[in-house]
Amino acid sequence: MKDLIKKLTAISSPSGFEDEIREAICQEIQGYCDEIKVDALGNLIAVKRGKGPRVQFAAHMDEIGLIATDIDDKGFVRFSNVGGVSPHRLYGQRVRFTNGVVGTIGSEKLEDVRKLALDKLFIDIGAQSREEASKLVSIGDCCTYLQGFDDLGKRVVAKSMDNRIGCAVLIEAMRRTKECVNEVYCTFTVQEEVGLRGAVTSAYGIDPALGIAVDVTMTGDTPEAPKMAVGLGKGTAIKVKDSSVIAHPKVKQLLVDLAEKNGVQYQLEVLTAGGTDAGAIHKTRAGVPSGVVSIPCRYVHSPSEMVDMDDVEASVRLVSLVMTSDVSSVLP
Ligand code: CO
Ligand code: ZN
């Protein structure tokens, strides 16, 4: 599992540029599903046949990044954000463009560090002129954090755990689940970080009876963290609410019952800011009862996001249980 996480987090695939991660996931799920398709926006949809209702799982495969907006005379690249990127996490950070070009982020001089904003920062790709830089990077090219994977034992840290860890959980659940009771659509969605866009089209196409997003959530267990009951190592998190969705009470209950009956450690999650693909899925067509299996994660959207392997395992087990259990309790 750690090898899979290492492999997926090493890939640079910001929103809108998911080709590389989609290709990698495709390889990992070969032989573990009955059909693989890619829709018009680039969502990867893997079907595991079963006789029960259609259940859509959605793990977004994109990640936050930066996009080149301008190159100056001296070859410095200016940029905007793709998804939620804080300027305070960028200075000195190395980035890699999807074409492989590496740069580091510098800052204009600032009288007051609190005034740091994205437009005070630039990417230095080692070029000495606009002409030289333009051969390496074009306007609109995207990059992501360049950060390795580290195994800290029970916990692992890497860039883009949001949401490569969700992808890894879904892949592992697909591999472990031999016989699906339900008709399972494992969706690896595009463009979540810019507004749940891949979830909108994939859910419309699939028209599921039940939707489950698999994504990270934040924790309240670091020094002076915002008050939040979720902690690392306390189990998979069953979402009650975030800013994009109120989990359908019957779906939340289904997840809680499955966890309790099968001895899967879980915690309940209320995330006060942030959303996930379930926010789009539950509003599809005439409405889809939806919920979320969350993997607790520290330092979300920073270059070093941390998860606990026991929580990862609990999440795999809960996702697999939904694939193989009677879900008729959530149907209208
Ligand atoms: Co995110
Ligand atoms: Zn996410």
Side-chain angles (χ1 to χ4, degrees), residues 60 64 162-163 192-193 215-216 275 300-301 305:
H60 72 86
I64 55 168
D162 177 11
N163 183 33
E192 188 270 356
E193 296 290 358
D215 201 346
V216 298
V300 173
H301 285 201
E305 301 175 321

Side-chain angles (χ1 to χ4, degrees), residues 291-320:
V292 185
V293 173
S294 299
I295 303 101
C297 181
R298 286 181 184 165
Y299 324 119
V300 173
H301 285 201
S302 84
S304 296
E305 301 175 321
M306 185 186 292
V307 299
D308 184 293
M309 292 306 292
D310 288 346
D311 299 339
V312 173
E313 171 63 20
S315 303
V316 171
R317 289 187 61 206
L318 187 54
V319 167
S320 178

Side-chain angles (χ1 to χ4, degrees), residues 131-170:
E131 201 192 359
E132 193 187 339
S134 301
K135 285 181 188 140
L136 299 167
V137 169
S138 301
I139 302 307
D141 282 359
C142 283
C143 60
T144 61
Y145 299 130
L146 179 53
Q147 276 281 0
F149 168 94
D150 277 292
D151 182 351
L152 310 182
K154 200 159 112 61
R155 291 163 179 188
V156 291
V157 62
K159 75 152 185 70
S160 67
M161 283 293 184
D162 177 11
N163 183 33
R164 303 293 154 70
I165 195 64
C167 296
V169 163
L170 190 51

Side-chain angles (χ1 to χ4, degrees), residues 18 20 46 90 114 142 146 198 207 217 265 316:
E18 294 92 353
E20 198 182 338
L90 291 178
R114 286 169 302 181
C142 283
L146 179 53
D207 191 15
T217 190
Q265 197 186 15
V316 171

Side-chain angles (χ1 to χ4, degrees), residues 27-105:
Q27 307 265 319
E28 298 296 331
I29 60 177
Q30 289 295 341
Y32 299 99
C33 52
D34 300 302
E35 190 186 346
I36 296 180
K37 39 193 178 182
V38 177
D39 78 4
L41 290 199
N43 295 299
L44 176 64
I45 302 165
V47 189
K48 279 169 92 73
R49 299 264 173 244
K51 293 199 166 61
R54 276 193 299 281
V55 177
Q56 177 178 11
F57 291 94
H60 72 86
M61 59 181 170
D62 62 315
E63 67 188 289
I64 55 168
L66 305 174
I67 184 164
T69 54
D70 190 48
I71 301 172
D72 74 13
D73 293 346
K74 295 199 165 117
F76 293 105
V77 179
R78 295 294 179 149
F79 60 88
S80 178
N81 60 303
V82 178
V85 179
S86 157
H88 297 279
R89 286 172 163 150
L90 291 178
Y91 181 77
Q93 176 60 47
R94 256 171 258 180
V95 293
R96 182 175 57 205
F97 284 85
T98 51
N99 65 7
V101 170
V102 169
T104 186
I105 296 176

Side-chain angles (χ1 to χ4, degrees), residues 236-282:
T236 188
I238 296 172
K239 192 180 299 280
V240 180
K241 178 191 180 291
D242 64 22
S243 350
S244 71
V245 67
I246 296 169
H248 193 292
K250 287 181 178 170
V251 178
K252 188 210 98 183
Q253 200 54 46
L254 171 76
L255 295 172
V256 166
D257 290 346
L258 285 173
E260 290 202 342
K261 266 186 218 129
N262 296 279
V264 177
Q265 197 186 15
Y266 74 97
Q267 44 194 327
L268 293 174
E269 171 213 346
V270 177
L271 181 66
T272 52
T276 183
D277 278 344
I281 296 170
H282 81 290

